[in-house]
Amino acid sequence: MHDIKWIKDNINIFDKAMEKRGIASISKSVVKLYDEYVDLIAKLQNFQNERNTLSKNIGIKKSKGEDASDEIKGVSDIKLSISTYQEQSNSLQNKIQKMLEVVPNLPSEDTPVGKNENDNIVIKEFGEIPNFNFKPSAHDVLGFNLDMMDFNKAAEMSGSRFVILKDKLALLERALSNFMLNTHTQNHNYIEVNPPTLVRDNALYGTGQLPKFDEDLFQASTGHWLIPTSEVPLTNIVANEILHNDDLPLRYTALTSCFRSEAGSAGQDTKGMIRLHEFKKVELVSIVEASESNKEHDRMLACAEDILIKLKLPYRTVILCTGDLGFSASKTYDIEVWLPSQNKYREISSVSNCKDFQARRMKARVRNDKNNIESLHTLNGSGVAVGRALLAILENYQNEDGSVNIPEVLQPYMNGLTKININN
């Protein structure tokens, strides 16, 4: 969340940043409220000082046996004024808070300006797009023919956009999960965490999903929310903490189920595993000092790309433009994997630098060597989405007879299996 004092001192910078995002700026209205708030606080402090003076005089007069009735009445009158001003200042503070909590992060200076995904910029491509001598099948067709992917039975028990994986495809999902976790913990210095998948309002508020995006979430009858990504619990590990810079960086990874209502996506990717209500993802979260976040962002991108490189899946990396940037992100890289059935790249990972935006909402801070307390910088990224990696393997490693080869790096996790056949 933004610092209102910073907005007041940097209105032009703030307005230009919102313009890049295609959002009408609230700077004038919120600064006006802030000025009213500051004025109220000044008056409140004057009344408090006056009350303190009168209270002191009451004590002095009583100690001398003198009449202090005028001072006592004055204190009583001032208490009413203090109460009124306190209510008004609290009301203004809440209004300012409500206005600021739905304003997105400022885009970084090197985030390209654009309106939508068509203005994103490709910065890297890896791997050769497979050239099949037959028409490649979609992953849902392959899974159905293997009798290992069932959308119909899942729909009976849960509704649309759920899937049951069976037999070797269930094993493949587990293999991918273990491979990703092992890679990130053993090669990329992340600490594995097994976090809750039910969280309270404050956790989602801290990472920016609430209050603006409640329609994208599932809520339990207890008031808890199902996490849309383990970014939420992993980042909130440092909520309300003051760390020392010697503790940083902190790097966490987790495999969790993720839950999204996909509000507003009606008609999009209704077939297959592209856009499910429940899916598994290996998440990466880094907590760093401000001076290290840009370097850490590039490091995290390399960690996510390393998974696809090892799986030998063709992909490309893009930098998102301002119009396609997520709410909490200042800069985002997307990694898109090639899907032969669609003849195009589809997102499989998003790696974002949120700078101090989430840290301010969570009150996560760091004490530096000069004993000054500063906001932390938080970063998050998919390392990667397990389901989308699975479907990308099905489509890119498929054979004409409907069988699917297993990437070499996964074979040890698949009990030495090199191919998934229809009859095995």
Side-chain angles (χ1 to χ4, degrees):
M1 190 159 65
H2 302 290
D3 180 358
I4 180 59
K5 294 179 182 178
W6 183 90
I7 294 176
K8 178 178 171 63
D9 294 336
N10 299 273
I11 287 179
N12 289 337
I13 295 174
F14 180 80
D15 287 350
K16 288 179 180 178
M18 292 300 105
E19 183 181 355
K20 288 178 180 179
R21 272 187 170 267
I23 296 171
S25 177
I26 63 163
S27 62
K28 290 183 180 179
S29 53
V30 75
V31 167
K32 181 180 178 183
L33 287 178
Y34 178 67
D35 287 341
E36 293 176 14
Y37 170 77
V38 171
D39 185 56
L40 276 175
I41 291 298
K43 292 177 180 178
L44 181 62
Q45 288 174 343
N46 287 336
F47 276 118
Q48 290 171 335
N49 291 336
E50 188 176 349
R51 178 198 59 191
N52 293 340
T53 299
L54 287 172
S55 296
K56 184 177 180 181
N57 290 339
I58 290 171
I60 293 172
K61 283 193 172 184
K62 283 187 174 182
S63 67
K64 295 179 179 180
E66 298 176 357
D67 179 26
S69 57
D70 289 342
E71 285 79 2
I72 292 173
K73 183 179 183 304
V75 168
S76 178
D77 292 340
I78 287 173
K79 282 183 177 179
L80 290 175
S81 297
I82 288 175
S83 177
T84 298
Y85 278 102
Q86 189 69 65
E87 288 179 6
Q88 291 176 353
S89 64
N90 288 342
S91 176
L92 278 176
Q93 190 175 36
N94 288 335
K95 285 181 181 179
I96 293 169
Q97 174 87 3
K98 294 295 183 184
M99 292 178 72
L100 290 178
E101 67 188 11
V102 294
V103 177
N105 200 354
L106 305 180
S108 65
E109 292 183 0
D110 56 346
T111 292
V113 178
K115 294 182 178 180
N116 52 46
E117 62 182 12
N118 297 322
D119 296 320
N120 296 339
I121 297 176
V122 178
I123 59 173
K124 183 187 301 182
E125 291 186 358
F126 169 85
E128 294 185 9
I129 293 174
N131 183 20
F132 297 103
N133 56 10
F134 57 92
K135 183 179 179 180
S137 297
H139 66 277
D140 55 315
V141 175
L142 290 162
F144 176 81
N145 290 338
L146 289 167
D147 194 27
M148 299 177 190
M149 185 182 292
D150 194 335
F151 292 95
N152 293 329
K153 186 56 67 173
E156 284 183 24
M157 62 180 80
S158 301
S160 62
R161 297 193 180 185
F162 290 89
V163 66
I164 294 172
L165 298 178
K166 298 181 290 186
D167 198 13
K168 300 303 186 295
L169 288 192
L171 176 60
L172 179 59
E173 183 182 61
R174 179 155 54 93
L176 277 165
S177 302
N178 288 336
F179 159 68
M180 292 177 194
L181 286 174
N182 284 351
T183 300
H184 292 313
T185 56
Q186 296 172 14
N187 299 350
H188 302 150
N189 299 317
Y190 281 87
I191 297 171
E192 184 175 355
V193 178
N194 188 1
T197 53
L198 285 170
V199 295
R200 294 174 175 169
D201 292 13
N202 58 288
L204 286 158
Y205 178 87
T207 47
Q209 283 82 10
L210 287 180
K212 192 167 184 176
F213 303 103
D214 60 333
E215 291 185 356
D216 295 326
L217 307 170
F218 287 109
Q219 188 171 26
S221 59
T222 59
H224 291 86
W225 301 85
L226 291 165
I227 60 169
T229 164
S230 56
E231 166 203 343
V232 176
L234 292 181
T235 309
N236 272 276
I237 288 175
V238 298
N240 303 307
E241 298 288 337
I242 299 178
L243 306 176
H244 193 274
N245 58 0
D246 290 342
D247 300 324
L248 303 178
L250 293 174
R251 297 180 178 128
Y252 299 123
T253 185
L255 166 70
T256 64
S257 290
C258 305
F259 306 88
R260 299 182 186 178
S261 70
E262 297 292 352
S265 64
Q268 298 180 36
D269 300 315
T270 54
K271 287 190 62 180
M273 293 178 61
I274 288 286
R275 200 181 295 274
L276 298 175
H277 288 310
E278 179 181 358
F279 57 94
K280 288 183 174 61
K281 181 157 66 82
V282 172
E283 186 73 3
L284 306 175
V285 162
S286 290
I287 314 293
V288 302
E289 292 182 86
S291 60
E292 297 297 314
S293 67
N294 290 335
K295 185 190 300 182
E296 184 70 13
H297 195 195
D298 290 337
R299 194 199 70 84
M300 289 181 71
L301 174 64
C303 293
E305 289 179 334
D306 187 44
I307 297 297
L308 299 182
I309 291 171
K310 285 180 165 60
L311 291 172
K312 297 182 180 179
L313 288 171
Y315 73 87
R316 71 179 185 183
T317 302
V318 303
I319 180 171
L320 300 193
C321 71
T322 52
D324 200 27
L325 204 58
F327 178 80
S328 296
S330 178
K331 180 180 178 181
T332 297
Y333 297 113
D334 268 8
I335 305 173
E336 301 173 343
V337 70
W338 178 257
L339 294 188
S341 70
Q342 298 186 16
N343 198 38
K344 64 180 179 181
Y345 292 96
R346 298 301 303 265
E347 179 196 339
I348 194 170
S349 174
S350 189
V351 184
S352 298
N353 186 352
C354 299
K355 297 192 175 178
D356 66 350
F357 186 80
Q358 292 179 327
R360 286 183 177 279
R361 296 173 78 101
M362 296 187 303
K363 296 180 174 60
R365 293 155 291 175
V366 60
R367 189 186 303 276
N368 62 26
D369 290 332
K370 296 180 180 180
N371 210 34
N372 295 324
I373 295 177
E374 303 170 339
S375 289
L376 296 162
H377 278 201
T378 65
L379 304 94
N380 63 80
S382 309
V384 293
V386 178
R388 292 196 179 186
L390 184 147
L391 68 89
I393 288 171
L394 291 180
E395 295 201 8
N396 284 279
Y397 280 82
Q398 65 180 291
N399 300 304
E400 189 171 8
D401 63 358
S403 63
V404 178
N405 298 329
I406 304 299
E408 185 177 354
V409 73
L410 292 182
Q411 291 173 16
Y413 297 89
M414 295 286 291
N415 303 320
L417 191 68
T418 60
K419 183 186 292 188
I420 299 176
N421 295 302
I422 292 178
N423 298 319
N424 73 344

